[in-house]
Amino acid sequence: IVKKDLNNDNLRLCHRLDRNTCGLLIFAKSNEIENEITNAFKNFEIEKHYLAYVNNYKFNKLHDILEDYLFKDTKTGFSKVYKEKVVASEKIITEYSVLEQNKLDNYAILDIILHTGKTHQIRAHMSYIGHELIGDSKYGKNEVNKKFKKTKQLLIAYKYNFKFNKN
């Protein structure tokens, strides 16, 4: 669909965004560049930044790096975060910085950097610390989503930092 919309058969999508997440995508014009960028994502040479609108403006820290464990239940498609490792869980690292706090409407806007990239990592991790994404029907709160009149999570891939080796 994207290739058709861009009207260029030579473009190759180098990564994906989760359903209901919007934002920047990276395309390549050749197989060689596609492989380079795909490998750079796998090797964390491209730092992904997301804007996230979350419930609850109060944070103990305005910047933190969260390290926990995520277990994805393949039967339900639901991921759960644990402080300690459990069977079949994987370590997740999510960094956030609070960009704005709105006391009146009780929400905050965060810059989130993924240091690991697991399914539903941001959504599950933010919910785990009591800051559910606004509009998230799976990990969020229905009353919050209704308050803000949102049916899709407010999570936007907005910036990529390229950290390629100079060799």
Side-chain angles (χ1 to χ4, degrees), residues 39-93:
N39 286 332
F41 273 114
K42 287 178 186 173
N43 296 325
F44 299 99
E45 293 175 312
I46 299 176
E47 183 180 82
K48 302 176 195 178
H49 286 255
Y50 294 84
L51 281 178
Y53 289 69
V54 298
N55 185 44
N56 185 3
Y57 79 95
K58 295 180 188 175
F59 282 81
N60 293 332
K61 298 178 181 179
L62 295 180
H63 174 262
D64 202 359
I65 299 175
L66 309 170
E67 295 187 33
D68 293 293
Y69 294 88
L70 185 114
F71 170 77
K72 182 175 181 194
D73 185 334
T74 54
K75 292 177 185 170
T76 64
F78 191 83
S79 296
K80 184 164 171 137
V81 176
Y82 295 91
K83 194 77 195 146
E84 304 293 327
K85 185 161 180 58
V86 298
V87 174
S89 67
E90 296 183 83
K91 187 170 188 171
I92 56 171
I93 303 171

Side-chain angles (χ1 to χ4, degrees), residues 45-167:
E45 293 175 312
I46 299 176
E47 183 180 82
K48 302 176 195 178
H49 286 255
Y50 294 84
L51 281 178
Y53 289 69
V54 298
N55 185 44
N56 185 3
Y57 79 95
K58 295 180 188 175
F59 282 81
N60 293 332
K61 298 178 181 179
L62 295 180
H63 174 262
D64 202 359
I65 299 175
L66 309 170
E67 295 187 33
D68 293 293
Y69 294 88
L70 185 114
F71 170 77
K72 182 175 181 194
D73 185 334
T74 54
K75 292 177 185 170
T76 64
F78 191 83
S79 296
K80 184 164 171 137
V81 176
Y82 295 91
K83 194 77 195 146
E84 304 293 327
K85 185 161 180 58
V86 298
V87 174
S89 67
E90 296 183 83
K91 187 170 188 171
I92 56 171
I93 303 171
T94 308
E95 182 175 353
Y96 74 83
S97 298
V98 177
L99 301 176
E100 184 178 322
Q101 293 171 292
N102 186 309
K103 184 177 181 179
L104 182 64
D105 291 321
N106 193 27
Y107 75 89
I109 302 173
L110 309 179
D111 172 56
I112 296 179
I113 301 170
L114 288 178
H115 294 280
T116 54
K118 305 300 178 197
T119 303
H120 300 171
Q121 178 178 327
I122 294 173
R123 298 164 67 193
H125 223 167
M126 290 298 104
S127 180
Y128 177 72
I129 65 167
H131 295 279
E132 305 83 8
L133 267 68
I134 295 171
D136 187 350
S137 60
K138 192 168 206 165
Y139 299 93
K141 294 180 177 175
N142 287 334
E143 64 271 14
V144 171
N145 299 341
K146 285 180 185 176
K147 172 186 166 186
F148 288 99
K149 299 178 181 152
K150 297 298 175 190
T151 57
K152 293 186 178 180
Q153 66 212 21
L154 294 179
L155 183 63
I156 304 129
Y158 82 103
K159 179 170 70 172
Y160 296 109
N161 288 335
F162 295 84
K163 300 177 166 190
F164 294 117
N165 293 330
K166 294 181 181 179
N167 299 341

